[in-house]
Every structure is written in structure tokens, then in C-alpha cells.
Amino acid sequence: MLNLVGSSILYSTFYAVTATIATLFTKNYPFLTETDIGLCYLSIGGGNMISTVLSGRMLDWQYRVYKKRYENTIGDSEKLKEVRNLRDDDEFPIEKARLNLQFYFVVVYSALVIAYGWVIQSDVSLAAPLVFQFLGKSFSSHFIGLLADFMQLD
């Protein structure tokens, strides 16, 4: 439940930023054409691509740390042989393994969204909001790991 609430807040914030790009950029940067404004959405796409790779690697690293800790506490090779996949073991803290870094991602993402709003309001160079869009989206895809673990593929 926590995962769904957290991801819904992040995605609603993301869509609020995305939906207002055309309006805010037209007002703050009147020299941009419609095509130029459309190209401004590419920074979010680039951030999303980076986010998928970086978040995936960080979450996989965190998962391996928890897996190793768990296997060290079990110590019983029979139980390890019995459990093919740690996802099937009720005692393995899958939520903790996947959501341990979530707080840090949310704090950084929130700071980047606030900074994005500030640079839009301050009428700074066009590069600043694009950089904050890119960075903000780079920190927003970490919730998917837990959902993928809970998905049962037969």
C-alpha cells in the first residue's frame, strides 16, 4: 500500500509538471515556437531513460545486500535449496530490500520539483528548467522494482 501511495504522489507531481510545460514555457519564454516547446519534452524522456538504468542498478544492488544478509542469517543449506526464489520465502524482507532507498529518492525528487518551480517563477535561462526536468525524472522510477517482484509470472 505504501508503495502505491508513494508512486501515485510522484506520478501525479510528474504529470503536473508535464501538463504545464507548454503553458509556462509559452508565457516565460515567448521566443519559443511550438516546435521548440515540443522539443523541451525531450529532457523528461532523457531523464526517464537514465532513471530506468540507474534506479534499476541501485535497487538490484540493495536487493543483493539484503539477500546476502538473509542467506547469512539462515545458514541452513537445506532451506536455501528448498526456496528457489526468495520472492517465495515469506521470511525474506522483500519490501525492505526494495523500499530502503525510497525515502532518499523522494527527498531528492521533491527538492528537484521545488527547484524547478523556483526557476520557472524566477524567469531564468531556459536551460535551468530543462535540467531540473531531466534530473527530476531521473529520480522518479524507483518504485517499480517492488511491483515487479510482486508480479507472478508463471
Side-chain angles (χ1 to χ4, degrees):
M1 182 68 167
L2 174 66
N3 189 41
L4 294 176
V5 170
S7 58
S8 66
I9 290 170
L10 284 180
Y11 286 121
S12 63
T13 306
F14 164 70
Y15 283 117
V17 168
T18 306
T20 58
I21 288 174
T23 305
L24 292 174
F25 282 23
T26 301
K27 182 180 130 202
N28 291 358
Y29 307 103
F31 58 87
L32 293 176
T33 65
E34 289 180 1
T35 303
D36 295 334
I37 292 174
L39 292 173
C40 290
Y41 286 90
L42 291 177
S43 66
I44 292 175
N48 196 32
M49 288 189 307
I50 296 295
S51 175
T52 307
V53 173
L54 292 181
S55 295
R57 288 186 181 178
M58 289 177 70
L59 289 172
D60 287 345
W61 168 78
Q62 186 69 26
Y63 182 85
R64 285 191 302 272
V65 167
Y66 273 88
K67 179 181 175 184
K68 191 171 199 164
R69 283 184 198 163
Y70 181 70
E71 288 172 349
N72 288 339
T73 59
I74 290 178
D76 183 12
S77 61
E78 288 299 319
K79 177 150 183 172
L80 284 175
K81 288 178 185 175
E82 182 181 307
V83 178
R84 271 188 342 183
N85 190 346
L86 287 178
R87 176 175 64 190
D88 299 333
D89 189 356
D90 293 334
E91 295 175 17
F92 180 69
I94 188 71
E95 294 88 359
K96 200 169 189 179
R98 289 297 187 193
L99 297 179
N100 191 35
L101 297 174
Q102 181 176 9
F103 174 76
Y104 304 107
F105 277 98
V106 170
V107 168
V108 171
Y109 180 74
S110 300
L112 289 168
V113 169
I114 290 168
Y116 170 77
W118 178 76
V119 298
I120 288 290
Q121 186 178 9
S122 300
D123 289 330
V124 297
S125 168
L126 176 62
L130 295 178
V131 167
F132 283 115
Q133 285 176 1
F134 176 83
L135 293 174
K137 191 56 184 161
S138 296
F139 280 90
S140 65
S141 295
H142 60 281
F143 287 96
I144 303 303
L146 182 62
L147 294 175
D149 284 334
F150 283 146
M151 207 169 96
Q152 294 294 324
L153 298 175
D154 293 329

